[in-house]
Amino acid sequence: MPKRLKFSYWSDPLCIWALVAQEKLERVLAELGEHVRVDYRIVPVFGSVPWRFNEGPWAKDGVEGRIAATRRIAQQGGREDVSGECWRKATPKTSWAPAVAIKAVFALPDGRGDEAGPLYQKALRERFFVKEANIALRSVQLEVAEELGLARAPIEALLDDGTALSALCEDHAEKERLHLQGSPTYVFDGGRAMLYGNFAYGILRSTVEELVRGLAPGGSNC
C-alpha cells in the first residue's frame, strides 16, 4: 500500500468556527483523500459554559453577544441557516458531554467508528447550531445516532463503562502536550506543523499537498 499522510484534526463540538470550517476539510478530502488519513480528535474548549457566561470571556456581552457573534461568524462562512439562538434555547452546560458521545461513536468496534465517527461529529454539531437542540443531553445524542443508522445499545455501553470518557481524557492530555490554542486545529507530523483557526482554503490545500509530496522519494517536506 502506498504511504498516506496522516494528520489530526482537533475541534470542539460547540465551536462555530469548526462548523464553518467543515467545508474546507471536506474539500481537501474530496481532492486529496486517496493520499491522506485524518485522525479526528477533540479539543474541549468549552469545559464550563456557565463559567464563560458568568465570569469568563462571554460575561461582558452575555447571551445576546454570543448569539450575535455566532450569527456573524456563520454568515461570514456562508451558513445563513445558523441564527445563534442555540445559545438562548438549548445551551449545553459543557462541551465535554457531546464530546464523550462523539468518542463513543469513534470507539465502535469492527471499523464502524472510523466510518461513522466523522459523520456523527458533523451531525451533532449541526443539531446544535442549526436545529438548536441541547447536544449535551444523552437523549439528543442517541437520537442523532439513530438517524445515522447507528444502534443505541453499543454507544450507551461505551458511555456507561467509561471507554468513551477515557478516550476523551487521552485527547485532553495530548492537547495539553501539544499546547493547542483552540478549535479547529490541524496538526501535522506530531506537532511540527499546525494550522489553527480561520484561514483560507488555499493554505490548508497547499500544506497538505506539500506534505503529501514529501512522502515520495526526493519530494519536498515542508
Side-chain angles (χ1 to χ4, degrees), residues 3-222:
K3 290 184 177 180
R4 300 174 75 185
L5 172 69
K6 179 181 177 181
F7 62 86
S8 55
Y9 175 70
W10 297 74
S11 66
D12 185 290
L14 304 182
C15 177
I16 184 60
W17 289 110
L19 180 78
V20 301
Q22 181 71 29
E23 184 271 338
K24 298 174 186 176
L25 176 61
E26 292 177 350
R27 185 176 171 187
V28 81
L29 291 177
E31 296 175 2
L32 298 170
E34 63 180 311
H35 305 294
V36 303
R37 184 163 66 90
V38 183
D39 179 23
Y40 292 87
R41 309 293 292 269
I42 301 292
V43 52
V45 177
F46 307 108
S48 172
V49 173
W51 174 84
R52 283 184 163 260
F53 278 119
N54 296 329
E55 303 176 41
W58 298 346
K60 179 180 178 181
D61 297 324
V63 173
E64 295 299 332
R66 181 58 8 202
I67 291 171
T70 299
R71 183 167 55 245
R72 181 178 67 254
I73 293 167
Q75 291 176 346
Q76 289 172 352
R79 295 299 304 259
E80 298 291 337
D81 54 348
V82 175
S83 70
E85 288 291 328
C86 51
W87 294 109
R88 191 197 319 275
K89 298 178 180 178
T91 310
K93 298 296 185 182
T94 176
S95 64
W96 278 71
V100 77
I102 292 168
K103 298 306 290 189
V105 173
F106 271 104
L108 289 172
D110 303 323
R112 287 178 293 161
D114 293 338
E115 180 179 354
L119 298 176
Y120 180 71
Q121 178 172 260
K122 177 183 177 181
L124 204 60
R125 188 176 284 125
E126 293 270 348
R127 181 61 57 93
F128 175 59
F129 283 108
V130 179
K131 299 297 184 179
E132 297 165 354
N134 186 347
I135 59 173
L137 301 177
R138 183 176 288 201
S139 58
V140 175
Q141 297 162 4
L142 294 174
E143 180 181 281
V144 172
E146 285 189 322
E147 290 175 1
L148 294 176
L150 302 172
R152 288 185 174 222
I155 297 172
E156 287 186 295
L158 292 164
L159 289 169
D160 291 340
D161 72 2
T163 298
L165 182 58
S166 68
L168 181 57
C169 289
E170 290 174 11
D171 279 4
H172 180 69
E174 182 66 1
K175 170 253 184 185
E176 294 293 301
R177 186 188 72 82
L178 292 170
H179 303 291
L180 300 187
Q181 298 181 61
S183 167
T185 300
Y186 292 83
V187 178
F188 305 94
D189 196 13
R192 191 166 63 91
M194 296 186 190
L195 292 174
Y196 163 56
N198 186 34
F199 47 83
Y201 171 73
I203 296 174
L204 175 61
R205 164 72 194 226
S206 61
T207 301
V208 173
E209 196 168 31
E210 285 301 308
L211 288 169
V212 166
R213 187 176 295 120
L215 296 174
S220 68
N221 192 17
C222 70

